[in-house]
Amino acid sequence: MKIQEIREIIKLVDQSSIDEFSYEFDGVKVKMKKNASNPSQPAVQSKVVEAPVQKDAPSAPKQVESVESAPTEQPVQTETAEAGNASNEDLHKILSPMVGTFYQSPSPEEEAYVAVGTKVSADQVVCIVEAMKLFNEIEAEVDGEIAEILVKDGQLVEYGQPLFLVKAN
């Protein structure tokens, strides 16, 4: 995520009536909360969760300036790289091929295609991504075992967003 994108989000949140905004994509988490209790300071605070951004932020009376200078890509990349090396080095990511809504089962009455610990084959359907009323079956791509489900049923997913982690055979 680039600084300019974060600045645009800050402006949008500040101009809107929402009090809190949270965004997560590919291991990067951004959370913004309006600070209405102190009207002399700007209304939006932001930080990248789980990244050491606050220690580098200059102490200035205007919070927006320190927020805009604090979330740089380097701490986020470092945090993501460390987490990836520690837990995901042998895992295959099943990525969303499109923007849409993630569904774990073929219908609300039926059970999920897979759960954590399920053995899968490369051509086995693991979920559905609905885009524009079309239901697209997503296959496992590799033989292995589902190690983690990264999204919730009914959640909007982005193109290229990891959906599952699979411990490949």
Side-chain angles (χ1 to χ4, degrees), residues 38-117:
N38 191 351
S40 65
Q41 294 184 343
V44 179
Q45 293 181 337
S46 174
K47 67 178 182 175
V48 177
V49 180
E50 300 177 358
V53 295
Q54 293 300 324
K55 68 180 181 181
D56 296 333
S59 57
K62 295 179 83 176
Q63 289 180 342
V64 172
E65 287 180 8
S66 64
V67 167
E68 290 178 353
S69 63
T72 62
E73 296 215 14
Q74 185 175 2
V76 173
Q77 289 173 348
T78 303
E79 186 72 25
T80 303
E82 290 171 4
N85 290 341
S87 62
N88 299 339
E89 63 186 33
D90 295 333
L91 300 178
H92 172 77
K93 291 180 184 177
I94 300 175
L95 306 176
S96 176
M98 66 196 71
V99 174
T101 304
F102 171 86
Y103 293 108
Q104 289 183 312
S105 61
S107 72
E109 299 84 31
E110 295 185 44
E111 290 197 25
Y113 286 107
V114 296
V116 173

Side-chain angles (χ1 to χ4, degrees), residues 95-166:
L95 306 176
S96 176
M98 66 196 71
V99 174
T101 304
F102 171 86
Y103 293 108
Q104 289 183 312
S105 61
S107 72
E109 299 84 31
E110 295 185 44
E111 290 197 25
Y113 286 107
V114 296
V116 173
T118 302
K119 302 280 187 198
V120 294
S121 60
D123 59 348
Q124 182 177 344
V125 175
V126 294
C127 69
I128 294 175
V129 175
E130 180 220 350
M132 297 172 49
K133 304 293 181 192
L134 295 175
F135 294 85
N136 303 282
E137 294 181 335
I138 310 303
E139 296 179 349
E141 304 166 352
V142 296
D143 294 335
E145 179 181 332
I146 300 292
E148 188 174 351
I149 301 172
L150 302 171
V151 292
K152 292 184 168 78
D153 195 40
Q155 179 180 337
L156 182 65
V157 295
E158 298 289 329
Y159 170 79
Q161 179 178 349
L163 305 174
F164 297 91
L165 295 178
V166 180

Side-chain angles (χ1 to χ4, degrees), residues 9-67:
I9 292 172
I10 290 171
K11 287 178 188 175
L12 291 171
V13 170
D14 196 24
Q15 294 170 356
S16 73
S17 62
I18 62 174
D19 294 323
E20 188 171 338
F21 173 79
S22 181
Y23 176 77
E24 179 177 354
F25 179 73
D26 202 19
V28 177
K29 297 178 185 178
V30 177
K31 184 174 182 179
M32 296 178 201
K33 188 182 266 188
K34 286 188 179 180
N35 185 6
S37 62
N38 191 351
S40 65
Q41 294 184 343
V44 179
Q45 293 181 337
S46 174
K47 67 178 182 175
V48 177
V49 180
E50 300 177 358
V53 295
Q54 293 300 324
K55 68 180 181 181
D56 296 333
S59 57
K62 295 179 83 176
Q63 289 180 342
V64 172
E65 287 180 8
S66 64
V67 167

